[in-house]
Amino acid sequence: MNELQEQTHRLFEEFLSKDYFHPNDIIVIGCSTSEVAGGSIGKNGSSAIAAAIFDGLYPLAKAHGLYLAFQCCEHLNRALVVNREIMEYYHLEEVSAVPHDHAGGAMASYAYRHLPEPCLCETIQAHGGWDIGETLIGMHLRSVAVPLRLSSRTLGEARLNAAYTRPKLIGGERAKYSLDVESALGC
């Protein structure tokens, strides 16, 4: 488990080094601990694997001033475990459930037991995310998600996909997307 925690920490450090994130941004984590162990999603959840991943992510997120949101499985409609602080900061609506290994999943259940003030919210619009084991986090990302390739495409035995989001580009062919003094003076 130490190796998994170190791999998680190293890859999350790489993810954060890309400078796409700012303090108070939300990173959603979808994780199948069964897939990390080499099994099929939803079949053999592991609190030990969840602990290793949580311990690899949480201290770095906290050090960077980021919020983590842990996606539950489909049995809780993919609700998210968050700290109450994030719910209040972003004015999210709380829902009532306590995730456990067979309704929520091992990762969400572990996060619920180890975050300082855990609660569940139904939806979120995160600034980035990690999808560990193809858990389908897209519904919780902002509109324009951009894949972010890391040095490893796996975490344990699970496929790892990462993404950041960017604002929509609007305005059509006449729009400018950076401040250009000469063109601004001509407007």
Side-chain angles (χ1 to χ4, degrees):
M1 290 304 148
N2 284 341
E3 187 176 318
L4 180 60
Q5 181 180 339
E6 289 170 14
Q7 181 189 20
T8 302
H9 183 88
R10 180 179 48 78
L11 288 171
F12 199 56
E13 204 167 46
E14 179 185 342
F15 177 73
L16 297 178
S17 75
K18 305 296 184 185
D19 288 332
Y20 293 116
F21 307 107
H22 307 286
N24 298 321
D25 279 358
I26 303 166
I27 307 298
V28 66
I29 306 296
C31 178
S32 168
T33 59
S34 301
E35 291 276 336
V36 173
S40 295
I41 194 167
K43 301 298 181 201
N44 291 315
S46 166
S47 292
I49 289 173
I53 292 170
F54 184 91
D55 291 344
L57 296 171
Y58 189 72
L60 274 174
K62 191 170 177 149
H64 283 84
L66 300 170
Y67 295 118
L68 293 178
F70 295 89
Q71 178 182 267
C72 295
C73 73
E74 74 275 9
H75 297 102
L76 291 183
N77 297 329
R78 304 226 187 274
L80 300 126
V81 176
V82 297
N83 249 340
R84 184 161 300 282
E85 178 184 9
I86 185 178
M87 190 186 69
E88 292 170 356
Y89 185 85
Y90 281 100
H91 307 287
L92 302 173
E93 187 171 346
E94 186 173 8
V95 294
S96 294
V98 175
H100 58 86
D101 289 356
H102 301 290
M107 186 78 244
S109 176
Y110 187 88
Y112 193 88
R113 292 189 322 270
H114 290 87
L115 287 173
E117 269 191 279
C119 59
L120 258 62
C121 62
E122 192 168 20
T123 61
I124 212 162
Q125 292 296 294
H127 302 88
W130 268 25
D131 189 326
I132 306 164
E134 299 175 331
T135 61
L136 304 176
I137 64 168
M139 68 188 82
H140 297 304
L141 294 173
R142 290 181 172 208
S143 294
V144 185
V146 181
L148 184 59
R149 302 291 181 231
L150 301 176
S151 59
S152 176
R153 293 202 140 188
T154 59
L155 185 64
E157 298 296 316
R159 291 185 186 144
L160 171 63
N161 291 301
Y164 68 95
T165 62
R166 65 162 176 76
K168 295 177 184 179
L169 302 177
I170 62 167
E173 67 184 46
R174 293 182 63 181
K176 301 280 184 196
Y177 300 110
S178 64
L179 184 58
D180 180 290
V181 176
E182 291 178 4
S183 65
L185 293 175
C187 291

